[in-house]
Amino acid sequence: MITQGKFGKYGGVFVPELIIPALEELEKAFLKYKDDKKFNEELDYYLREFAGRPTGLYYASNLSEKLGCKIYLKREDMLHTGAHKINNTLGQGLLAKYMGKTRLIAETGAGQHGIATAVVGAMLKIPVEVYMGSEDVERQKLNVFRMELSGASVTPVETGSCTLKDAINEAFRDWITNVETTHYLIGSTMGPHPYPTMVKHFQSVIGRETRKQILEKEDKLPDAVIACVGGGSNSMGIFSGFIDDKDVELIGVEGGGDGVGTKRTGATLCGGTEGVLHGSLSFVLQDDDGQINEASSISAGLDYPGVGPEHAYLHVTGRAKYVAVTDKEALEGFEVLSKYEGIIPALESSHAVAYAIKYAKKEENKGKTIVINLSGRGDKDMFIVAKEMGEEV
Amino acid sequence: MKAQEAKTGTQIGEGQKTGEGKRARSRIKSKSYAEMFEEVKSKGEGAFIPFVVAGDPNFETSIQIVKKLVEGGADALEIGFTFSDPVADGPTVQSADIRAFKAGMTTKKGFEFVKKLRKFTNIPVGLLVYYNLIYKMGIEEFYKNAAESGVNGVLAADLPPEEAGDAVVAAKKYGVDPIFLAAQTTSNDRLKQIVDMCSGFLYVVSVMGVTGARSEVKTSTVELIERMRGHTDTPLCVGFGISKPEHVAEVIKAGSDGAIVGSALIRVIEENLNDLAFMKEKIKDSCSKLKEATRR
C-alpha cells in the first residue's frame, strides 16, 4: 500500500493475502482520481443532477422554540434513494468505472446501501450483486424488490447469524474469488484501508456544505454537530467539515438497543472493546474469547458489531464524544420530529434527534446552535414504527 | 466430555510434580517442520497435511478424528480454531467453526486440544486462526500458550505482512514458526516481504477464492510454484481447493513440498455426524488415499 490507512493505531489492512493486490489497485486509483478534474466534474454532475445535491440546512423553528436552542437539520433525507448513502455509491461506482471494473458487489443490512448501489449500477450500466443476510431479506422484502427493479441481483446469505456481518463476510469471499473484474462497494467508513478514508472522502461533501451553510445563516460555527453512528459514514461525513474547529462539539450517537451493557445493543464504542473485524482494528462487540457478538438495534443501519476505525480514534483522543440512545428513546425522537416539524426521519437519524433533544434540555446548553445530520428519511421504517406503536398499516 | 478433560488435567498435574521440564516431559517432543519436510523428501514423497477445526463436532470426537488422521499417514496437522467471522473460508469450514463453537470451543480450549494430541503424536502442528483471537488474548500471551501447548506454527488468515510485525516478533520469541499465505495475485515485491517473515512453510493458494472443495486444480500451479521457488528455500505447501488424491498428486508433481486438504475431510465429518464409528474409519481411509497420492 502507498499510504498506511491508520488513525492512531486503528485501521489497517487485516485481510487475507488474496485481497491485498485489489486493495493496492483501489488505493492507487483512489489517490489518482480523487484530485482528478474530469473525475470530480463528472461526480459533481451526478451528485447534483442524479442525487439532488446540495441538500438544505433547514432551521427547525418549532423544535428550536420548544427546546430553547437553535436547531438545524442537514437534509440528507432529501437525496435520491432517501439517505446519504448515495454520495458514496456514486463516488465508488464512478471510480469502479474509471478502473474498468465490470461488476459491482455490495453488502446491505436493511437494504439502503443495496438500493443506493443498485441505482448507481443501473445508471452507470454496471451489473450489481447485493449480498444480504437471509433474515434481512425476509424482514425487508420491499427493499429487495426495489433493488431488483433497478436490475440488481440480491443473494441471500445463509451463513452465521444470517445478518449484515455475514453479508459482509460473503461479499469479501466473492471479492477474493472475482477480484480482477469486480469492485466491492463498501457502504460505510469501515473495512480495510483504503475504504475508511475513501468513504469519508466521498461523504465529506456533507461536512463541506454544512459548514458553508451554517456560516451563511448564523455567521458563526455551530456549538455542536450531532449524527448517528453505525459503521459511521454519515457522521464521519459531517464531522469532517468541523474536525479542525476545536470549539465545535462533535457527538456520535450509537444504537443503544435495550441499553449499553445489555445483550441487545449496537453501541460499539460505548460498550465494546478493541478488536479486529472486517479488515480493520477498531472497537467491536465481542466475548472474552474474541468471538464477535451479534449487534441489536431497532434501526437496521446501526445494527452492526463494529465501527469505523477513525471513530475509534476520535473516541480515544476525545475529539468526538460518543453516546448511545435506546430503541425507546429513538422512537420518541422519531415521533417528535414528525409531529413538530413534519419531517419523518429514518430510525437511524432518529437516534441523533433523540440525543439532540436530551442535549438541548440540559441547562448548560440553553441557547446553543446545534446541527443534526438528518441522514435519511423514515419511509422505509413505517412498518417497524407502526408495529412498535401498536398500529395496523 | 467433562470427565475426559478432568482426566487430562490430572495427567498434566502428575507430570508437573516431577520438577523441571515437567511440561515437556508429559508430552512427546515434536518434530520441527524442517525435520518433517527433510524426512518426507528423503523418501521421495510430498508432505500430506490435513486440516480440521479443533472441537468439530466436539472436543473428544475431534481428538479421535485427529488420531485417525495420524494413523492415516498425515505428515503434519493444520488445526483451525473456531471464529465467528471466517472471511477466508468457504461454507464447509464455517459450518465446522459453528459446530465447534456450539460444542463450547474457545481459544483456551483449543490449546488444551493441542496439548492432548501431543500425547499421541509428534508430527508438526500448525494453527489456522483469525487475528482477532490472537489480539484479544494478547499477542505475547497467544504465542506463549501456543509454544507451551506444542504448536509448531501459526497462520493467521487475515494477517498480511504489513500488519504482522508484532506477531512475528512474539512468534520468534517463543520458537513458533510464523506461516503466511501467498497467492497468484501476490507480486514478486510482496513475495519478498512475505518470505522474509515466513518460516516453517509457505502456504501457497493456487486458486482465487476461499477454502472449499473444487473439481479441478488450476493449470497454472506449476508456474506459480516455480515463481515462488525462485524467491525462497522455505518449503511450499499448496492449499485451498485441493480435495482429491489426483489434486494432491498434481500439486506434488508440480513441485510443491506438501498439499493441504481441509474441506473434503470436514465434509466427511459433516456427512457422518450420526455414525461416529463410520466417520472415523472414513476419515482414516480418505487420509491414507490422500497421503498415498504424495508418493510420486
Side-chain angles (χ1 to χ4, degrees):
Chain A
M1 308 297 282
I2 302 161
T3 52
Q4 274 217 318
K6 292 274 166 93
F7 310 93
K9 67 173 175 178
Y10 303 105
V13 281
F14 294 90
V15 292
E17 177 61 29
L18 290 81
I19 296 182
I20 296 275
L23 294 175
E24 287 180 330
E25 183 192 359
L26 181 61
E27 184 201 34
K28 206 173 147 197
F30 169 63
L31 293 174
K32 178 178 171 190
Y33 290 116
K34 81 182 176 69
D35 301 316
D36 182 82
K37 193 161 171 276
K38 184 169 168 277
F39 178 86
N40 282 312
E41 278 171 8
E42 203 173 341
L43 179 57
D44 286 348
Y45 169 81
Y46 288 125
L47 285 172
R48 190 175 65 242
E49 306 289 334
F50 185 73
R53 298 214 73 91
T55 60
L57 184 68
Y58 178 70
Y59 179 62
S61 58
N62 300 336
L63 196 60
S64 295
E65 193 182 328
K66 176 176 148 73
L67 295 168
C69 280
K70 281 190 156 179
I71 295 180
Y72 283 92
L73 306 173
K74 180 58 176 166
R75 298 295 307 274
E76 295 298 294
D77 61 317
M78 297 295 279
L79 289 171
H80 179 36
T81 69
H84 72 291
K85 292 286 180 191
I86 193 91
N87 301 328
N88 170 53
T89 56
L90 274 174
Q92 282 193 53
L94 202 57
L95 187 63
K97 191 179 144 190
Y98 274 63
M99 289 170 76
K101 300 288 174 186
T102 53
R103 179 169 172 262
L104 295 176
I105 55 170
E107 81 292 337
T108 198
Q112 293 310 109
H113 172 58
I115 289 166
T117 307
V119 299
V120 166
M123 190 270 285
L124 295 173
K125 292 187 274 189
I126 308 177
V128 172
E129 182 163 357
V130 178
Y131 288 97
M132 191 169 180
S134 57
E135 287 222 3
D136 292 330
V137 169
E138 199 47 46
R139 284 190 290 215
Q140 303 285 345
K141 279 182 189 156
L142 197 63
N143 278 345
V144 173
F145 187 57
R146 288 172 75 190
M147 285 183 262
E148 286 172 348
L149 280 177
S150 291
S153 65
V154 178
T155 306
V157 175
E158 310 270 358
T159 55
S161 56
C162 307
T163 58
L164 176 61
K165 80 181 175 76
D166 306 285
I168 296 172
N169 293 337
E170 209 55 38
F172 268 116
R173 289 172 184 139
D174 179 316
W175 204 30
I176 290 174
T177 314
N178 302 299
V179 82
E180 278 165 24
T181 57
T182 300
H183 174 66
Y184 177 16
L185 210 163
I186 291 183
S188 194
T189 49
M190 45 145 292
H193 178 59
Y195 285 100
T197 303
M198 181 170 67
V199 176
K200 175 191 175 184
H201 173 80
F202 289 131
Q203 292 293 0
S204 65
V205 63
I206 307 174
R208 272 196 311 280
E209 281 179 13
T210 307
R211 195 172 196 285
K212 192 166 160 257
Q213 289 164 326
I214 195 78
L215 285 172
E216 280 165 12
K217 289 175 199 285
E218 290 286 327
D219 202 25
K220 66 176 183 79
L221 292 170
D223 296 298
V225 174
I226 301 176
C228 64
V229 181
S233 70
N234 89 79
S235 45
M236 198 50 73
I238 196 162
F239 286 180
S240 72
F242 302 95
I243 227 150
D244 296 329
D245 306 310
K246 301 291 178 212
D247 293 335
V248 178
E249 209 178 338
L250 304 177
I251 303 171
V253 187
E254 298 193 297
D258 286 347
V260 178
T262 67
K263 281 210 153 196
R264 289 192 67 263
T265 185
T268 310
L269 288 166
C270 295
T273 47
E274 279 180 11
V276 175
L277 175 67
H278 295 143
S280 55
L281 172 62
S282 183
F283 277 63
V284 295
L285 297 172
Q286 59 185 333
D287 69 9
D288 293 342
D289 197 38
Q291 308 292 338
I292 306 303
N293 294 337
E294 282 171 41
S296 183
S297 166
I298 190 168
S299 133
L302 307 185
D303 193 356
Y304 176 61
V307 65
E310 192 168 0
H311 283 294
Y313 178 68
L314 296 178
H315 173 59
V316 299
T317 57
R319 175 61 193 100
K321 184 172 114 178
Y322 294 87
V323 296
V325 308
T326 62
D327 289 352
K328 198 167 158 281
E329 291 170 316
L331 279 166
E332 285 163 18
F334 178 94
E335 287 182 48
V336 167
L337 198 69
S338 304
K339 191 171 157 192
Y340 282 85
E341 297 293 345
I343 295 172
I344 300 175
L347 279 172
E348 290 77 8
S349 321
S350 300
H351 285 71
V353 173
Y355 187 75
I357 294 170
K358 264 192 187 178
Y359 179 91
K361 280 183 178 165
K362 286 182 191 165
E363 200 46 46
E364 70 267 27
N365 295 329
K366 283 283 168 252
K368 283 189 174 174
T369 303
I370 302 164
V371 173
I372 301 171
N373 194 21
L374 205 67
S375 55
R377 70 177 90 122
D379 305 29
K380 69 185 175 62
D381 297 317
M382 287 298 113
F383 288 109
I384 297 168
V385 175
K387 198 176 148 204
E388 293 292 329
M389 292 169 74
E391 301 279 340
E392 285 248 355
V393 271
Chain B
M1 198 170 117
K2 277 198 175 145
Q4 291 286 356
E5 277 170 34
K7 207 171 131 206
T8 314
T10 323
Q11 283 170 351
I12 290 169
E14 280 166 5
Q16 281 170 345
K17 282 180 206 149
T18 60
E20 291 296 313
K22 61 251 172 179
R23 284 203 172 175
R25 220 170 292 161
S26 73
R27 297 194 309 261
I28 302 170
K29 188 188 178 308
S30 66
K31 253 187 256 182
S32 69
Y33 278 112
E35 288 164 346
M36 182 276 287
F37 282 111
E38 194 50 49
E39 208 174 279
V40 171
K41 203 174 163 190
S42 71
K43 287 191 269 184
E45 300 171 5
F48 174 64
I49 308 179
F51 166 81
V52 287
V53 174
D56 170 30
N58 59 56
F59 193 96
E60 199 43 50
T61 309
S62 187
I63 285 286
Q64 291 166 25
I65 289 167
V66 170
K67 224 175 233 171
K68 292 292 167 191
L69 292 171
V70 174
E71 287 172 24
D75 296 302
L77 295 162
E78 275 290 281
I79 301 294
F81 280 6
T82 181
F83 183 55
S84 52
D85 295 81
V87 290
D89 286 300
T92 310
V93 175
Q94 185 166 19
S95 298
D97 278 346
I98 291 169
R99 283 193 297 272
F101 179 74
K102 285 191 176 155
M105 285 306 289
T106 58
T107 305
K108 275 186 191 139
K109 281 189 186 160
F111 288 129
E112 290 303 318
F113 186 88
V114 177
K115 272 184 198 164
K116 200 158 181 190
L117 67 86
R118 273 288 170 240
K119 290 179 189 298
F120 61 81
T121 183
N122 71 340
I123 62 176
V125 171
L127 296 184
L128 216 162
V129 299
Y130 285 83
Y131 188 57
N132 199 44
L133 299 180
I134 299 175
Y135 192 83
K136 182 67 181 163
M137 179 170 272
I139 298 171
E140 181 93 12
E141 185 70 14
F142 184 94
Y143 286 96
K144 185 165 171 265
N145 281 327
E148 283 177 3
S149 58
V151 166
N152 296 72
V154 173
L155 167 59
D158 55 351
L159 192 69
E162 33 282 82
E163 306 292 352
D166 294 346
V168 170
V169 169
K172 295 212 162 131
K173 178 174 168 188
Y174 292 103
V176 174
D177 285 314
I179 296 166
F180 286 85
L181 292 171
Q184 283 181 355
T185 47
T186 305
S187 66
N188 285 336
D189 282 349
R190 287 192 63 76
L191 200 52
K192 279 190 196 111
Q193 203 185 346
I194 290 169
V195 299
D196 273 352
M197 285 185 158
C198 184
S199 66
F201 68 88
L202 182 65
Y203 194 126
V204 179
V205 181
S206 62
V207 294
M208 286 312 292
V210 293
T211 61
R214 285 171 183 75
S215 54
E216 59 186 272
V217 178
K218 270 228 171 176
T219 46
S220 53
T221 307
V222 179
E223 233 169 87
L224 181 67
I225 287 171
E226 272 173 11
R227 180 163 73 91
M228 304 226 161
R229 189 67 84 205
H231 287 273
T232 181
D233 295 329
T234 305
L236 307 174
C237 292
V238 178
F240 281 39
I242 312 274
S243 62
K244 296 175 179 172
E246 302 92 274
H247 302 157
V248 172
E250 209 177 315
V251 298
I252 299 296
K253 208 177 138 210
S256 177
D257 298 288
I260 303 167
V261 175
S263 298
L265 292 165
I266 291 169
R267 252 191 222 166
V268 174
I269 298 174
E270 192 172 65
E271 285 164 7
N272 297 287
L273 289 169
N274 296 323
D275 189 348
L276 295 186
F278 182 75
M279 178 211 289
K280 283 183 271 179
E281 278 324 296
K282 186 107 193 275
I283 285 278
K284 186 180 166 185
D285 182 53
S286 305
C287 188
S288 316
K289 283 179 181 146
L290 291 161
K291 172 58 202 169
E292 187 55 40
T294 67
R295 302 191 168 106
R296 29 199 156 190

